[in-house]
Amino acid sequence: MVSVCNNGQGRIWKNLKINNKDYVICSIKENESRKVFLTDLIEIWVETLTDETMFHKCQTMNPLLNLELFDWKQVILDMLNDIPQYMYANVLEVTTYRIELRKDKNFIKLRFSLDLLKGTPQQFWESVTMPLCSSSMELIRRHKILLNLIKQKDEEIAEYKAEGAELIRRYIATKPFNEELFHTDAAGSIDFINTFQSVIQFYNEITLLKSHTKLEVSSNNASSTNDTKIDGNVPFDSSKNDSIQELRQDELNKQGPSKVEEYKANLSSKAPFSKISSTIHKKRNKKTLNDFIM
């Protein structure tokens, strides 16, 4: 069962029984490290594993193995992805849970251990309480929407019947909805671990849906922004050109009158092409004496 934590990283929670007590455990990748969470829905235990930490634990628990002969890290990741399957021992101390794992790979038996420290209230909130609250709020919102829709449908059906409409398939006929149905079948004993997993799975679905919606909106905004850009020639801005000429004039004034005269001479000799072309066009349109004779 998959859930999503606050940074978007998926969490796969799995049932784990320790000393005849039910827990759920998961392992996630966070930046360049791995995090393992264990909770009984009352408290939470956490351990952060870096590559260096995992290698040191492997060396300590497997002193006779040459870790360079096989991909030890992949073997550990396989165990972390399914901790209940590879757990063979566990020890509960005052504030620490020690869970020992073992995997047989060909002729190699690799042992590994998790030393989970009791987490903070913030970690319990992010992993357990916040997903439950978010899911409850979404369920309440959908509950109200569905109730209003069912009531509107009942009114619509009643109006059709008042106008004389009849069903051809009578077996699909329904009775008008009554909210008292919610109070007749009260829930009995609750398996809180399975309930937690079901709610977290629902939380995962709505969170993924929201993330996909945000990605679509951002991509649409990016495409519309690109469409507004003009790929042709940029219109000439005379105000910018005037400001550039003023800056050049100030620099030339500082250098002396000879530079100013040289700059003005260059400007007069380099007339804009548009003015030259318009002058040539006017000259070509000017009528000559031969035109009047013709």
Side-chain angles (χ1 to χ4, degrees):
M1 187 278 304
V2 180
S3 72
V4 175
C5 58
N6 55 344
N7 59 359
Q9 171 67 49
R11 294 187 179 185
I12 301 176
W13 292 91
K14 296 196 174 184
N15 292 347
L16 184 68
K17 193 174 285 291
I18 300 177
N19 297 332
N20 293 325
K21 186 177 179 181
D22 291 323
Y23 294 82
V24 284
I25 193 167
C26 73
S27 171
I28 66 167
K29 182 180 180 182
E30 189 174 274
N31 298 325
E32 298 300 323
S33 60
R34 305 282 302 188
K35 272 194 173 183
V36 180
F37 298 86
L38 174 73
T39 180
D40 58 355
L41 305 185
I42 301 173
E43 297 176 299
I44 194 168
W45 293 264
V46 185
E47 182 179 15
T48 302
L49 297 169
T50 62
D51 289 350
E52 183 179 355
T53 305
M54 290 189 289
F55 183 75
H56 177 71
K57 285 190 174 188
C58 277
Q59 285 184 323
T60 304
M61 299 194 67
N62 306 275
L64 301 180
L65 287 180
N66 186 357
L67 300 180
E68 297 179 356
L69 297 179
F70 64 98
D71 191 354
W72 61 269
K73 184 178 179 181
Q74 186 58 49
V75 177
I76 293 176
L77 293 180
D78 291 341
M79 288 191 284
L80 294 179
N81 288 332
D82 197 355
I83 295 173
Q85 179 181 348
Y86 298 105
M87 183 184 73
Y88 73 93
N90 60 81
V91 179
L92 173 61
E93 298 178 358
V94 180
T95 59
T96 306
Y97 257 118
R98 181 179 177 86
I99 299 175
E100 295 186 1
L101 310 174
R102 183 178 65 194
K103 181 178 181 180
D104 299 340
K105 183 177 177 62
N106 299 329
F107 299 102
I108 299 173
K109 293 184 178 180
L110 186 69
R111 298 172 59 198
F112 191 72
S113 67
L114 298 173
D115 299 289
L116 299 133
L117 297 175
K118 185 172 288 188
T120 64
Q122 180 66 24
Q123 289 172 323
F124 186 82
W125 158 258
E126 292 176 355
S127 302
V128 179
T129 309
M130 187 269 290
L132 290 176
C133 290
S134 299
S135 301
S136 299
M137 292 172 61
E138 180 63 18
L139 287 172
I140 292 171
R141 186 184 73 86
R142 296 187 182 189
H143 174 79
K144 292 180 179 179
I145 293 174
L146 290 174
L147 276 184
N148 292 332
L149 182 60
I150 291 173
K151 291 177 181 178
Q152 291 174 5
K153 289 292 183 183
D154 283 344
E155 292 177 1
E156 183 180 354
I157 293 171
E159 187 171 344
Y160 288 146
K161 289 182 177 180
E163 294 176 355
E166 294 183 357
L167 283 174
I168 298 176
R169 297 175 297 167
R170 296 184 180 276
Y171 63 89
I172 66 171
T174 58
K175 296 180 180 180
F177 177 74
N178 186 359
E179 290 189 44
E180 294 297 327
L181 292 173
F182 290 134
H183 308 295
T184 54
D185 298 327
S189 59
I190 300 175
D191 186 341
F192 288 102
I193 292 296
N194 290 331
T195 302
F196 170 75
Q197 289 184 322
S198 299
V199 174
I200 292 298
Q201 184 174 2
F202 174 74
Y203 171 74
N204 172 56
E205 294 173 357
I206 61 176
T207 307
L208 287 178
L209 180 62
K210 290 179 181 178
S211 63
H212 290 326
T213 304
K214 289 181 180 179
L215 287 175
E216 290 178 0
V217 172
S218 61
S219 62
N220 291 337
N221 291 337
S223 61
S224 62
T225 303
N226 292 333
D227 291 340
T228 58
K229 294 181 179 180
I230 301 174
D231 294 331
N233 295 329
V234 179
F236 178 73
D237 191 347
S238 59
S239 60
K240 291 183 178 180
N241 186 56
D242 294 340
S243 62
I244 293 173
Q245 289 187 6
E246 290 177 1
L247 290 173
R248 289 178 178 174
Q249 186 69 32
D250 293 338
E251 293 177 358
L252 291 171
N253 290 334
K254 295 178 182 180
Q255 294 178 4
S258 61
K259 292 289 183 180
V260 176
E261 294 299 331
E262 182 181 348
Y263 176 69
K264 289 181 178 180
N266 290 334
L267 285 179
S268 61
S269 62
K270 297 179 180 179
F273 177 76
S274 59
K275 291 184 179 180
I276 296 174
S277 60
S278 62
T279 305
I280 294 173
H281 181 69
K282 288 180 181 179
K283 287 181 179 179
R284 287 180 179 176
N285 290 336
K286 186 176 181 181
K287 294 183 178 181
T288 61
L289 180 60
N290 291 331
D291 295 331
F292 287 106
I293 295 174
M294 294 298 292

